[in-house]
Amino acid sequence: MKTIKNMAIIGAGVAGLALAIFARKQGIHVTLFERSKCLSSIGAGVTLWPNATFVMKQLGLIDEVIHSGGQPCFMHQFNRQGRQTNTFDIGALNAMCEHPTVNILRRDLIKILGDALEMMGATILFNHTIKAEDITQLKQQFDLVVGSDGRMHSAARASLYKDTMQPQYQGFINIIGLYQMNQSLCDHTIHEYRENGERFGIVPVTKQHGYWAAAWHCEMDDSRTLTSWFDEMHQRFRHWPSKIQKVLNNYDPNSLKRLFVHDLEPLPYWHNGNLIIIGDAAHAPLPTSGQGASQALEDAWHLSQLLNHNQSLDAVLKKFYSTRIDKTTQAQLIGRQVAQQIFHSTSSAPPTLPSLSTDQIRKLYMQGLSERATS
């Protein structure tokens, strides 16, 4: 779209950085507003499924991602006694999608995106907290204002909905962190341990290091200290299999984060005038969907493609919503279904991996993605 010459992006996370790179490739001047003093490394790691690595290829950064990450071959699921209950062949999915799956630390992904953007001349204003009341001025200053400012405190979403659309707590806590040890723990295999409303996931990046998450059903209580939550985690999982004990004995204490997990209801619209929200600000799914980063990257690619169309801005932003809403809603619903099964099911049977065939997952992940659209 030739009328977009100056773009403001609120939030320099995965979605914001990726969109900024695509926009700079199109010659659009980009200004990012980031509340932190530098690019944030909050979060442990992400799995970039084939739909995400498709986008990284379009960004020209797939080689850097593969070099910095690890490529899992399988996902194995176990009960708390360590008996394997299910498996998923990630390699077969990759072959069908013709794109890899990559596990990567979030700090490394952000650095790859940030370094690429720095070379392209975008302006990043750090220590700039944008509030809902600031949005009107930004809309006057810029041709397009994009809110990619996260699930919990999105000023852009608050501006669109006057604070009526708030994230909803889904009844479980996640404690995440990084591990490093001098031995192979889960070489090329994601390990998921689930039973009785508790879950522990181990995601290798290399043979010696990776990231993990411990989760269980609980009431949200901000009055408790972080130390008390970490102590509870150790108590809950102290009798679980040896791989979990190795992680709990070898994690980096400085990497620990406690998250009361929220998501969003599907929203009826994402834009008003020249303001639009993308990524977690628009459609935050639960981590049990496995698609948070992947859908954020897809947003950046789809929006950049539509900005090339010779249509009015309103038509473009409506088209973006209609293109994305079904797929992002599916990710949200899958995340809730899996979380319900893990954390709220009354069945004594261990929860299983989603009962979709590999081909069904391929169709879901690669829906709407075609390199022909980039030409």
Side-chain angles (χ1 to χ4, degrees), residues 114-144:
D115 287 350
L117 184 58
E118 183 179 2
M119 297 177 63
M120 303 182 76
T123 301
I124 304 181
L125 301 178
F126 293 108
N127 291 315
H128 273 66
T129 298
I130 300 298
K131 300 178 181 178
E133 54 265 31
D134 301 322
I135 300 294
T136 299
Q137 184 176 355
L138 289 180
K139 291 172 68 176
Q140 294 170 351
Q141 290 179 315
F142 294 89
D143 300 321
L144 179 62

Side-chain angles (χ1 to χ4, degrees), residues 16 19 22 24 82 92 140 227 272 278 332 342:
L19 177 61
F22 281 128
R24 289 299 300 134
Q140 294 170 351
T227 299
N272 181 36
I278 67 172
Q332 290 171 296
I342 297 172

Side-chain angles (χ1 to χ4, degrees), residues 142-274:
F142 294 89
D143 300 321
L144 179 62
V145 179
V146 181
S148 59
D149 45 349
R151 77 179 61 206
M152 295 303 295
H153 305 292
S154 168
R157 187 178 64 239
S159 176
L160 284 177
Y161 284 98
K162 310 304 180 187
D163 271 333
T164 59
M165 295 296 184
Q166 295 293 330
Q168 297 184 356
Y169 180 53
Q170 293 301 318
F172 66 100
I173 188 174
N174 240 11
I175 295 179
I176 59 176
L178 309 179
Y179 72 84
Q180 186 164 352
M181 58 190 72
N182 296 320
Q183 57 181 301
S184 177
L185 185 64
C186 303
D187 192 18
H188 301 301
T189 303
I190 298 171
H191 280 51
E192 293 272 1
Y193 298 85
R194 303 175 176 180
E195 195 167 322
N196 294 335
E198 298 171 329
R199 171 190 176 272
F200 201 104
I202 305 172
V203 184
V205 175
T206 69
K207 290 183 178 180
Q208 283 76 40
H209 81 275
Y211 57 96
W212 55 273
W216 62 91
H217 171 70
C218 68
E219 297 298 321
M220 190 167 67
D221 184 357
D222 284 318
S223 67
R224 287 179 55 180
T225 65
L226 293 177
T227 299
S228 73
W229 286 109
F230 301 154
D231 289 344
E232 180 176 344
M233 172 186 70
H234 280 273
Q235 286 297 314
R236 282 180 175 271
F237 294 99
R238 69 188 185 278
H239 297 308
W240 287 54
S242 61
K243 284 185 170 61
I244 293 176
Q245 305 313 312
K246 289 177 181 177
V247 167
L248 293 177
N249 290 326
N250 290 277
Y251 64 72
D252 174 7
N254 294 322
S255 71
L256 291 183
K257 298 287 187 299
R258 180 219 63 191
L259 305 170
F260 292 116
V261 184
H262 292 64
D263 72 354
L264 288 172
E265 292 286 347
L267 299 177
Y269 57 89
W270 294 341
H271 90 283
N272 181 36
N274 63 336

